Amino acid sequence: MAVAHLTAAEAAARLGVKRETLYAYVSRGQLGRTMSLDGRSSLFDPGEIDALRTSRRRSASGELSTVIASSVTQLDEAAGHRYRTPDGPVAAVDLLDRSFSEVADLIWGGPADPDAWTLPAPTAALVRSLVGALPDDAPPLDRLRIAVSAVSASDPARHARATAVQTQAARHMIGAMVVALGGDRDRSIAAALWSALSPHPCTPAAEAALDAVLILLADHGLATSTFAVRVAASVRADPYSMVSAGLGAVGGRIHGAASGYVHRFFVDAERDGLTAAIGQRLDAGQHLPGMGHAVYRRADVRKVALERLVFAAHDGEDRLTLVRAAEERFAAYEQGPANIDFALGALTWLAGMEPWAGEALFAISRTVGWVAHGIEELREPALRFRPVARYVAPREPLPEDGHP
């Protein structure tokens, strides 16, 4: 199914500009357009419009605007995102009847290959040994970084650029990450992660919900971490270095860790009451966690699909009432629709996982998209990301907490 293009009037309204300004973007090469079948009117890709809208929100002094052509994922507000497959783009929500590994293989361009996902026993043993040497309270992303380094050190072909080599490296990295979190790789990825992260039994419904998390988060266009991966790929980094670049960016508090704030909200709401937990955040000037999205202004299709499976996995539990009530109360503050981070934070809380579990799941899942984008970038001219810096006077230092 093709993405529904926007008319000039719709595109201008989406950007909040006049039609003259819209065509100025076209003339400057900042925006592409196609002609309608009648040959008289222009049509615009909603993904490009949203990318331009996002870049225009930045401070003018930053002078940063980047649009990258990619065939990995199509973003669509109405239908959700679509992944490329050998049979053409398919909506991610239509792939939830498959396993995460099957969908990963499709995104990478090949048929499902279950045998290729087996992590070599010596590599698994090395990961367990290295992770075992960490402090007990070591952050999960540190465990994942070590897992990636362990696989890299065990791969003599890590600098090969062939797609088959890159995707095999990705399978082993994901397997090593699961092992680093305590998962048993003799099980499916979702079942292994559930058993490692949750004290509750892994029922078929629970496995389906976690598979959905991994599938829905596998890629979402040019997110910050994905851009970091493409920059690494542009200097011909090996796949392990590419993923390490992604892990560095995903460690930001407003990227991969977003679901953790939702999880902590439910912890507070269960202890102090829903009204008190909401009030604490509003009094502190905080945005309610898990609300709003740059792409999904009316509804996050990913959240709707995941939440349905989360509710099925926890049907009849008393704590589910709190999740439903929180979402209803949040909507009254008009901070945008509940997004997938809301559903993921609800899942980790209902499952008895730690608040950081969502961040770890995000990173493991997004490894699929990172590698897909890395492979795509290897087909582009090397070193193409070399922006020009314009010197300006030094800015005021950050406050003592390091956050503006």
Side-chain angles (χ1 to χ4, degrees):
M1 178 180 177
V3 174
H5 281 70
L6 305 175
T7 65
E10 291 169 336
R14 195 155 176 164
L15 285 170
V17 300
K18 297 180 179 179
R19 289 178 58 146
E20 292 80 1
T21 304
L22 177 74
Y23 286 110
Y25 290 137
V26 174
S27 66
R28 292 197 295 263
Q30 294 176 269
L31 192 63
R33 65 170 173 169
T34 58
M35 298 304 295
S36 64
L37 293 177
D38 62 17
R40 294 192 298 270
S41 55
S42 300
L43 297 175
F44 297 85
D45 185 290
E48 284 194 40
I49 294 295
D50 287 335
L52 180 58
R53 183 179 64 185
T54 300
S55 69
R56 289 173 61 249
R57 291 176 184 154
R58 301 182 186 279
S59 170
S61 65
E63 297 187 350
L64 177 62
S65 177
T66 303
V67 177
I68 296 175
S70 174
S71 64
V72 178
T73 302
Q74 292 179 335
L75 301 186
D76 185 275
E77 184 173 2
H81 61 309
R82 300 179 179 89
Y83 295 141
R84 70 178 181 198
T85 75
D87 298 323
V90 177
V93 294
D94 292 335
L95 294 170
L96 299 186
D97 59 340
R98 308 194 187 201
S99 70
F100 172 56
S101 58
E102 289 180 275
V103 174
D105 283 333
L106 286 176
I107 293 173
W108 292 330
D113 187 359
D115 293 338
W117 285 84
T118 301
L119 184 67
T123 303
L126 176 60
V127 172
R128 292 190 185 96
S129 174
L130 293 173
V131 170
L134 293 175
D136 291 339
D137 59 352
L141 285 187
D142 285 347
R143 298 172 184 269
L144 300 187
R145 293 186 186 102
I146 284 180
V148 171
S149 296
V151 181
S152 176
S154 306
D155 183 4
R158 59 183 173 274
H159 294 294
R161 290 177 56 184
T163 297
V165 176
Q166 300 269 325
T167 54
Q168 189 57 53
R171 295 185 188 100
H172 285 173
M173 277 189 277
I174 291 171
M177 290 177 183
V178 173
V179 169
L181 295 178
D184 180 0
R185 282 298 294 114
D186 290 335
R187 310 180 68 179
S188 74
I189 294 173
L193 285 169
W194 183 280
S195 298
L197 299 174
S198 172
H200 304 313
C202 183
T203 64
E207 183 176 358
L210 203 51
D211 249 331
V213 169
L214 298 171
I215 291 168
L216 293 171
L217 292 175
D219 189 61
H220 203 252
L222 206 65
T224 305
S225 57
T226 305
F227 182 65
V229 169
R230 293 197 74 126
V231 171
S234 75
V235 295
R236 301 307 182 245
D238 62 73
Y240 306 101
S241 297
M242 294 181 203
V243 171
S244 295
L247 287 171
V250 88
R253 298 197 303 178
I254 56 175
H255 190 12
S259 67
Y261 295 103
V262 179
H263 183 123
R264 292 180 180 90
F265 172 85
F266 287 125
V267 172
D268 293 346
E270 185 177 40
R271 183 190 63 231
D272 304 328
L274 183 57
T275 299
I278 292 175
Q280 289 166 6
R281 283 152 179 81
L282 295 179
D283 289 346
Q286 297 175 3
H287 193 87
L288 293 174
M291 303 299 289
H293 196 278
V295 174
Y296 307 109
R297 295 178 298 166
R298 291 183 292 273
D300 186 341
V301 178
R302 304 169 302 164
K303 171 262 175 188
V304 175
L306 176 57
E307 190 174 68
R308 183 173 60 251
L309 293 169
V310 171
F311 286 0
H314 297 278
D315 186 38
E317 295 183 18
D318 292 339
R319 295 205 302 170
L320 198 56
T321 303
L322 180 57
V323 175
R324 296 180 187 274
E327 185 173 354
E328 183 177 344
R329 290 281 298 278
F330 279 14
Y333 292 94
E334 298 182 351
Q335 294 186 351
N339 59 40
I340 194 170
D341 292 315
F342 182 91
L344 178 54
L347 181 151
T348 58
W349 178 68
L350 290 167
M353 299 179 184
E354 294 293 332
W356 51 256
E359 182 179 22
L361 292 170
F362 182 98
I364 292 172
S365 170
R366 193 54 59 90
T367 298
V368 172
W370 291 340
V371 171
H373 280 272
I375 292 171
E376 191 173 62
E377 185 61 36
L378 291 176
R379 301 182 183 126
E380 300 290 345
L383 296 168
R384 67 175 178 146
F385 298 115
R386 184 61 176 89
V388 176
R390 177 178 60 84
Y391 178 78
V392 295
R395 298 183 181 183
E396 292 295 321
L398 292 174
E400 290 186 2
D401 65 359
H403 300 284

